Amino acid sequence: QEEKTIGKVVTDFKAQLPHAEIYVFDNNCTDRTAEVAREHGVDHVVRHHRNRGLAAAFLTGLDAGLMAGADVIVNTDADNQYQASYIPAITAPVLAGKADIVVGERPIESVPEFSGLKNRLQRLGSWVVRKFSGTDILDAASGFRAFDREAAMKLHVYGKYTYTMETLIQAGAEGLSVVSVPIDVNPQTRESRLVKSSFAYVRRSASTIIRSYATILGDRRAELAQLISRETGKLLWESDAEVGSMIAKV
């Protein structure tokens, strides 16, 4: 549902990657997203005949890249949140053989649309993912990423909600090298459809972490994950002041 922004995303990506194959994944959109993408010269539109969720669209993208023989796959959002001018920055560590996955790290604290509470939730969520994945990523929710072929072949997402946290936990378990590079973002064009409320974000993120940890490391360690997630959620909602105190300690 991104007919207003997909044209610019395609145009900017083609400018940065003139020799690459550009794909748009249509998750059963009811607007003109696919048509606008074609009008702006996208190479391929892959359509799901029902809305299977963001994570499924992401996996379809990885599969399409692998089948096309890609050595590097770049993932972005169709809402034009991420600036395509940073593609060279996020692909450079992969091309140099220094990383299997690169995550674009947004300047979260300086993004006007991010409230104080959302900033703290993002930081807390990223901290929890770092602890469970063994990675050093500061912006675990960023969808602007580059993958080498090995990483794309190893990753799988079991949930429908999102892929960002689950893939980092998997990457840590698989021993993949994950780094982040600073990027900038464009002004927000619409409200998030993924995060309806702070409470929903915490609940779904905690569920994703628990499921990922259970799948990868087994039920015993998942019990610990569930305990940590439950206590984290409790702290978040006791008071905003306590969240700030917790973040400061982190």
Side-chain angles (χ1 to χ4, degrees):
Q1 303 294 107
E2 303 291 0
E3 64 180 2
K4 295 181 180 179
T5 54
I6 191 63
K8 180 166 176 54
V9 173
V10 171
T11 298
D12 290 351
F13 259 62
K14 288 179 71 68
Q16 292 293 328
L17 300 167
H19 305 297
E21 294 283 306
I22 308 298
Y23 287 74
V24 165
F25 299 93
D26 178 353
N27 210 7
N28 196 30
C29 295
T30 57
D31 65 357
R32 297 187 66 252
T33 296
E35 290 86 343
V36 174
R38 292 188 181 98
E39 290 167 2
H40 284 79
V42 73
D43 296 296
H44 309 280
V45 174
V46 179
R47 180 177 174 80
H48 289 168
H49 293 289
R50 61 182 176 85
N51 189 325
R52 295 167 53 193
L54 178 61
F58 167 75
L59 284 179
T60 300
L62 291 187
D63 290 343
L66 290 171
M67 287 189 290
D71 295 313
V72 181
I73 299 171
V74 177
N75 182 79
T76 193
D77 291 350
D79 63 358
N80 198 37
Q81 175 183 175
Y82 305 107
Q83 293 186 7
S85 59
Y86 284 91
I87 291 174
I90 70 167
T91 56
V94 175
L95 292 171
K98 296 180 178 180
D100 299 303
I101 302 173
V102 181
V103 179
E105 179 188 333
R106 298 166 293 180
I108 291 174
E109 294 186 359
S110 62
V111 175
E113 294 82 10
F114 278 29
S115 66
L117 177 58
K118 188 172 183 179
N119 284 336
R120 290 190 287 274
L121 289 175
Q122 290 279 5
R123 290 176 61 191
L124 179 59
S126 295
W127 175 79
V128 173
V129 170
R130 287 198 299 276
K131 294 302 179 183
F132 279 88
S133 66
T135 67
D136 297 320
I137 302 305
L138 297 177
D139 185 6
S142 173
F144 192 34
R145 303 184 176 193
F147 304 85
D148 67 10
R149 188 171 182 85
E150 178 185 5
M153 292 178 67
K154 288 185 175 180
L155 295 177
H156 187 73
V157 182
Y158 296 93
K160 294 175 61 178
Y161 177 58
T162 184
Y163 59 87
T164 53
M165 295 182 179
E166 189 170 345
T167 50
L168 289 177
I169 293 172
Q170 285 188 25
E174 292 286 350
L176 298 172
S177 173
V178 186
V179 302
S180 62
V181 297
I183 62 167
D184 207 349
V185 295
N186 294 311
Q188 182 175 292
T189 57
R190 59 166 176 77
E191 292 297 322
S192 173
R193 299 191 187 105
L194 191 64
V195 180
K196 301 299 184 183
S197 70
S198 296
F199 176 76
Y201 173 80
V202 171
R203 178 174 55 82
R204 288 190 171 187
S205 296
S207 175
T208 295
I209 292 169
I210 293 167
R211 181 178 57 252
S212 302
Y213 211 61
T215 301
I216 295 167
L217 298 177
D219 293 338
R220 186 177 302 173
R221 293 183 184 179
E223 290 176 5
L224 174 61
Q226 188 170 13
L227 174 62
I228 293 174
S229 293
R230 183 168 60 246
E231 293 304 311
T232 299
K234 186 188 301 181
L235 283 171
L236 282 171
W237 297 109
E238 282 179 351
S239 74
D240 192 36
E242 289 189 20
V243 176
S245 174
M246 184 177 180
I247 292 296
K249 292 177 182 177
V250 171

